[in-house]
Amino acid sequence: MPMISNDWLPALKEEFGKDYYKKLYKFVLDEYHSRVVYPPADDIFNALHLTPLQDVKVLILGQDPYHEPGQAHGLSFSVLPGQDAPPSLVNIYAELKDDLGCYVPNNGYLKKWADQGVLLLNTVLTVRAHAANSHKGRGWENFTDAIIKALNEQDRPIVYMLWGKPAQTKMSMLNNPKQLILTAPHPSPLSAYRGFFGCKHFSKCNEFLIANGLEPIDWQIENI
């Protein structure tokens, strides 16, 4: 796994010495040596590399990486250029169009969001090819909980978009009065019609950021 070299390192360095992380590291190393695993090993911590702790304005929490070839690159819900937007992202784009008038782009590459301070984090950071949730319960959850705790401890406004029940289990960790928690059903086709559509999280997020003197997020992903 690549080293974390920005300001996430001091926030997370204690995790690397814990028993769970040592076991996780060995498990992940063995998996990459013996199986096809996504994302590529150098991309595991892309969410942290692209969005330093000091720059985080928004957390969007996914579950685990896409598990088909050429999709996952370390950012939740995002796929590499050249890949079709997966169903959940299609629904995110539909909500963005309804909420803010964004056009639906021809790609699912969300790096533009990460560059503006949107931490696109999955609760589990690796997965076996063709096997969703195959690295669940191996220790990643402990590590990503530490990331969420570090955000909760920041003395500044941050918006959390918690979509679906697994993401919403993290609410008990969030108690910072300067920060905003938004919840909705998951954008998956199985649940989006239960209240993800119409949640207006993107406009609510920007209204909160502006009210706190911060630049809003430009949510429009451009065509490639």
Side-chain angles (χ1 to χ4, degrees):
M1 289 186 273
M3 279 298 296
I4 297 167
S5 57
N6 61 13
D7 63 351
W8 280 109
L9 183 59
L12 299 171
K13 63 183 178 182
E14 288 184 12
E15 302 303 306
F16 301 126
K18 293 180 179 178
D19 284 345
Y20 88 82
Y21 192 87
K22 293 173 184 175
K23 292 174 184 174
L24 170 65
Y25 186 89
K26 183 180 185 307
F27 168 75
V28 171
L29 206 62
D30 289 346
E31 287 282 286
Y32 273 95
H33 284 151
S34 61
R35 299 175 181 270
V36 177
V37 176
Y38 299 124
D42 286 346
D43 291 345
I44 291 173
F45 294 133
N46 264 359
L48 303 180
H49 293 152
L50 291 172
T51 312
L53 175 57
Q54 66 181 3
D55 295 341
V56 176
K57 296 179 178 178
V58 184
L59 170 68
I60 297 180
L61 193 61
Q63 294 179 34
D64 68 337
Y66 296 123
H67 50 80
E68 297 302 325
Q71 292 184 316
H73 65 107
L75 303 182
S76 63
F77 295 103
S78 179
V79 290
L80 287 167
Q83 296 288 325
D84 291 336
S88 291
L89 184 53
V90 168
N91 287 340
I92 291 169
Y93 283 161
E95 174 60 19
L96 266 171
K97 183 178 181 181
D98 182 65
D99 186 13
L100 292 174
C102 296
Y103 68 80
V104 176
N106 63 1
N107 68 93
Y109 188 51
L110 304 182
K111 181 178 179 289
K112 176 181 175 179
W113 293 358
D115 290 340
Q116 296 179 81
V118 181
L119 183 64
L120 295 164
L121 183 69
N122 283 311
T123 54
V124 174
L125 299 187
T126 54
V127 68
R128 283 183 196 166
H130 320 301
N133 288 319
S134 47
H135 287 183
K136 183 180 178 181
R138 294 290 188 161
W140 277 128
E141 295 89 345
N142 301 67
F143 185 73
T144 53
D145 278 359
I147 293 171
I148 296 167
K149 287 174 185 171
L151 292 173
N152 183 64
E153 291 167 1
Q154 298 299 298
D155 185 27
R156 56 191 172 86
I158 294 174
V159 181
Y160 301 89
M161 296 186 185
L162 303 181
W163 299 335
K165 290 179 181 176
Q168 288 162 20
T169 63
K170 309 301 181 183
M171 285 177 65
S172 61
M173 300 165 56
L174 302 173
N175 59 8
N176 189 324
K178 292 188 175 180
Q179 301 178 353
L180 176 67
I181 302 170
L182 300 173
T183 63
H186 196 275
S188 157
L190 298 174
S191 55
Y193 288 94
R194 297 182 198 145
F196 178 77
F197 292 136
C199 71
K200 300 195 179 298
H201 278 190
F202 303 101
S203 59
K204 289 176 181 176
C205 169
N206 278 355
E207 287 164 7
F208 177 80
L209 294 175
I210 292 167
N212 283 279
L214 297 171
E215 280 287 317
I217 304 299
D218 177 5
W219 294 104
Q220 180 67 69
I221 298 296
E222 286 86 10
N223 286 335
I224 293 177

